[in-house]
Every structure is written in structure tokens, then in C-alpha cells.
Amino acid sequence: MKELFARASELAGIVKEQKEVLVVTHIDADGITSGSIAKKALEDAGIETRVRFVKQLEKAEIEKIKDENVFVWFTDLGSGQLSSLDGIDFIITDHHVPERSCTKQLNPHDFSIDGGVEMSGSVATLMVANRLSSNPRLAELAIVGAVGDLQDSRFGKLVGFNRRLVEFLNGEIIEVQRDLRFFGKQTRPIAKMLEYNTDPIIPGITGDENGSLKFLNSLGIDPWKKWIEITKEEKRKVVSAIVRHCMDFGLGYDEIKRIAGECYILLHQPEGCEKRDAMEFSTLLNATARYGEAEIGVGVCFGDEKAFSRARTLLQNHRKNIANGIRLVEEIGIKELKNVQYFHAGKEIKDTIIGIIAGMSLVKNPKKPIIAFAESDNGVKVSARANYRLVERGLNLSKAIKLASEAVGGSGGGHNVAAGALIPFGSEEKFIEIFNELIGKQLEN
Ligand code: C5P
Ligand code: ZN
């Protein structure tokens, strides 16, 4: 651990020498919070800063950066492309599986910390940022990033290095509450919160407005109140009824366990606002960058009211797209191979949200990893998701997707349970064949 802190100080030292820094980051909630943390810290240190968002760090993007001849701070990406960065003056704060260890990166994997669950890109970035700025609110964004990358979903709470940060902040910046882990507790009527929850999928309630209303009415709960508006007693009643309902329908222990768990309340944000709850905050951010409006997400992180209002509009649109995506998958169906399952959304689902739809579709059958294809402008976007249980049996989607995508002339990487790639048009069949085989090999040991 001492080495990790030493690395953070070294990298902060390198950054302090710069007059101008280009922050290059990823277009998801972890990427936006990472980029915002870096931007604020650099500005506090009196360094001129620009932030650029990329879907992935591909060759063309790297070439463009090289031409600019500027110092770069890569956040929430970069470690998977280390060998292509020669000629750029840079530091990296990232948690993706790195190509190799490197003294210019702060990556948990280099310090025997699992970047998939124990440290987000935002928390890695915070470690360097804290040495440039004394702003205590940067940490709140780091928690939002970790939750945005679903680092709390495996155990129903943040663990590892993320947990150290949670404990440090508890009571001052955030409050840890044991509560229902559903989206929308601050902002949505309970009926809608239950209807739209997909983790776990609750028979007769998920996607079923009438079912959700009936369920709440039978408990004597006003379905149009928000979760934060009902009493502790009422909350307890609802949670135990949900658990009972899930048991009656034969849901597994693992799924039921995830219903309640830790929730992270941001104490400096107003009650009833998306930004009060780390889960809702991260979804709000996802709804900006994935639609090409990342700067709105940065504005939200910095408390800009106009940006916040725009983000809420984008969130409504994001919700619609997700609901349409789920419906489309139901229509086209998920095909099963020996070791994996997959679907091809063509142009019907945006390449930037196909990963979210893949994750939601996995819930129905978590036994095999799921692959989702979506056409983008410059190739076919691939998103892979799997249940954590398979990791214990040797699954590593990041490795498999890197090998399979490179074998068909594309590139990819990520984490053991969530990975992505970009492959050439028309190479899907070959890709899935290789991928299926690689997964079979990983799981046979
Ligand atoms: O895009 P998606 O959400 O499916 O990505 C899952 C993970 O895989 C992300 O952490 C992302 O950074 C990584 N990824 C990658 N290379 C790609 C696409 C995604 O490393 N070409
Ligand atoms: Zn991340």
C-alpha cells in the first residue's frame, strides 16, 4: 500500500511541473467523474486544463493526441493501450486490466488490488488529485464514479480500496445507509421505482405497472409517494414483502441478497435531487456523455444549474432508449451457444448504451456470459457482461475479448466481468466463434 501512495505522489509531482494538461477520459459515469476530479485539481493547482472524452482510446485518437504535442493525463483509460502511447508525455490513473505494469500509471492491478471491484478510475484519479488540491468535495465524485462502474454490485457494497475511502468520508461527505438498492429512491414514485427495477427482475412487478401498483396497495403503501417520503416502518414492510415475493417465485439467494445493501448518500447535495444518491447521480452522468454531451456531465459535477437541467432532460431520453432497447432484445431474442449467449441489435441500439442493455439482459440468464453487438460508424461495437460467480471458475472477459477481437482485426479490453471491443463490419460470426471457444477454455479448468 505504501508503494501505491508513493506512486500517487510521484505522478502528482510530474503533473505539477506542467503549464498545460490535456485530460483524456472515458464517456461513462466513472470517466466523467474522473475527468472532473482531474480538471478541478489541475485548476486548483493553477494549471491550464482541457478535457476530452473518447469512446475508447483507438489508434486514430492516439495519433491525434500525438500531433498535439501536449502533456496528457489519461483517466479511466490508457492502461490497456500502453504500448501505443510512445511519443506522448503522460500519466495514467486507470483501473482497467493493464497491458503491463508501468511507473507512469497509477493502476490498482500493479499493486495487487482488483481494479474490477476494489478501485474505480475515479478513486485512482482522486489519489493523484488529492495531492494537487485540498478540495474535500472531490471525494464525493470519486464515490459516484465507483458506483457508476457498478463496483458495489458484486457484494451489495463498496469493498477494498473504495471501502477505505467510504469509511474515511462517512459522516462528513457521505452517509452510508442500509437500504433498498433500487434506482430512483430520491426522485421517483415508489410504483415507478419498482416497475423499472431490473436487478433482480421481480416476476409480476418488473416492467408491470399494474403489478407494482397492486403489490403496494396490498401493503397499504401510497404508490405515488417517493421512497424517501415514507417512514422507516413502511420501508421495512416493503422490503420484507419484496423478499418474500421473490422467494415465492423461486429467485436465488444471490439475487435476493442484492435487494438490500449499502447506499451512498451525498450529504452536501439537496434531498430529493438525483445528486443526493450516488446511484442516481451516476445514471444522470451516464445520460449525458453517452449522448455526446459529456461537458454537461462535467457541468453537473461542478454544480452548474443550467447543465443540471439539461442533464435531467437527457436522462428522460436515456430511460426511454433503455426501455426500447430491452423491448428490442425481447423481440429479437437471445441466441445461446455452448458457452455464451448473444444478440445483435444492428443499428437499433446506440453503441454507447449497448453495454447497459447487455448487463440488464444478463439478469434473465446469468449462467453464461452475454455478448451484444451494435453497429457504430466505424465498426461493430461489442459489449460483454458476465456474472461474478464465473470469475471464481476462471472467467476473464477482458482477456477473451482482447484475443478474439484482435484475431478478427479489431481491438478490445476491460474488466473480468465487463469488457468491450470494436471489430470490423461483418466479422461478428468469426468473433463469436473464437470468443465462445476461449470462454469454454477459461471455464473448463
Ligand atoms: O462499452 P462497454 O460498456 O461494453 O465497455 C465495458 C468495458 O470494456 C469498459 O470498462 C471499457 O473501458 C472496456 N472497453 C475496452 N475497449 C473497447 C471497448 C470497451 O477496453 N474497445
Ligand atoms: Zn471505470
Side-chain angles (χ1 to χ4, degrees), residues 26-28 30 55-58 76-77 80-81 94-97 149 290 351-356 358 372 380-385 398 401 405 410-415 417-423:
H26 195 207
I27 56 149
D28 64 5
D30 192 23
K55 275 189 200 170
Q56 58 233 345
L57 204 50
E58 5 157 10
D76 194 33
L77 43 71
Q81 294 78 23
D94 186 14
H95 66 137
H96 290 92
V97 177
D149 256 13
R290 288 172 193 264
D351 60 331
T352 50
I353 64 161
I354 189 76
I356 299 178
V380 177
K381 171 71 207 298
V382 189
S383 276
R385 297 290 187 274
S398 171
I401 212 162
S405 60
S411 63
H415 309 289
V417 291
L422 188 68
I423 59 174

Side-chain angles (χ1 to χ4, degrees), residues 290-344:
R290 288 172 193 264
Y291 299 90
E293 299 198 27
E295 68 292 348
I296 295 291
V298 176
V300 172
C301 288
F302 284 100
D304 175 342
E305 283 304 319
K306 240 168 113 184
F308 179 58
S309 149
R310 172 72 186 147
R312 288 179 96 172
T313 308
L314 290 169
L315 178 60
Q316 280 176 356
N317 166 52
H318 181 52
R319 284 204 182 112
K320 243 184 257 154
N321 288 340
I322 292 203
N324 289 341
I326 298 278
R327 210 168 304 131
L328 179 88
V329 177
E330 268 165 18
E331 270 166 36
I332 59 177
I334 297 173
K335 296 180 190 67
E336 272 199 55
L337 299 178
K338 184 153 180 273
N339 308 306
V340 299
Q341 49 183 330
Y342 73 98
F343 65 90
H344 199 315

Side-chain angles (χ1 to χ4, degrees), residues 94-111:
D94 186 14
H95 66 137
H96 290 92
V97 177
E99 276 188 346
R100 55 176 166 83
S101 61
C102 168
T103 53
K104 286 196 283 189
Q105 78 183 356
L106 190 155
N107 187 310
H109 295 279
D110 280 0
F111 302 91

Side-chain angles (χ1 to χ4, degrees), residues 51-194:
V51 183
R52 180 173 307 157
F53 286 87
V54 297
K55 275 189 200 170
Q56 58 233 345
L57 204 50
E58 5 157 10
K59 284 207 174 70
E61 198 61 58
I62 295 173
E63 289 310 314
K64 200 171 133 204
I65 293 168
K66 273 184 191 163
D67 287 345
E68 287 173 58
N69 213 1
V70 59
F71 185 90
V72 184
W73 182 350
F74 293 102
T75 66
D76 194 33
L77 43 71
S79 293
Q81 294 78 23
L82 267 171
S83 59
S84 313
L85 301 181
D86 288 346
I88 303 178
D89 208 4
F90 68 88
I91 65 158
I92 296 174
T93 49
D94 186 14
H95 66 137
H96 290 92
V97 177
E99 276 188 346
R100 55 176 166 83
S101 61
C102 168
T103 53
K104 286 196 283 189
Q105 78 183 356
L106 190 155
N107 187 310
H109 295 279
D110 280 0
F111 302 91
S112 307
I113 297 170
D114 179 356
V117 278
E118 296 181 322
M119 190 190 281
S120 60
S122 56
V123 171
T125 303
L126 180 73
M127 292 189 69
V128 173
N130 269 344
R131 287 159 172 80
L132 301 168
S133 158
S134 55
N135 187 335
R137 296 280 297 278
L138 294 181
E140 125 188 333
L141 295 177
I143 296 294
V144 173
V147 170
D149 256 13
L150 306 183
Q151 296 215 317
D152 59 336
S153 79
R154 179 166 177 187
F155 300 102
K157 62 180 184 186
L158 289 170
V159 297
F161 202 88
N162 292 328
R163 170 123 235 109
R164 281 176 64 136
L165 181 63
V166 165
E167 275 161 15
F168 181 71
L169 302 174
N170 196 10
E172 291 281 336
I173 300 275
I174 63 165
E175 185 179 291
V176 181
Q177 290 182 353
R178 252 200 90 75
D179 202 345
L180 201 62
R181 283 177 44 80
F182 289 1
F183 176 87
K185 296 197 294 289
Q186 296 283 332
T187 55
R188 317 203 84 183
I190 305 173
K192 289 284 154 195
M193 178 183 83
L194 294 188

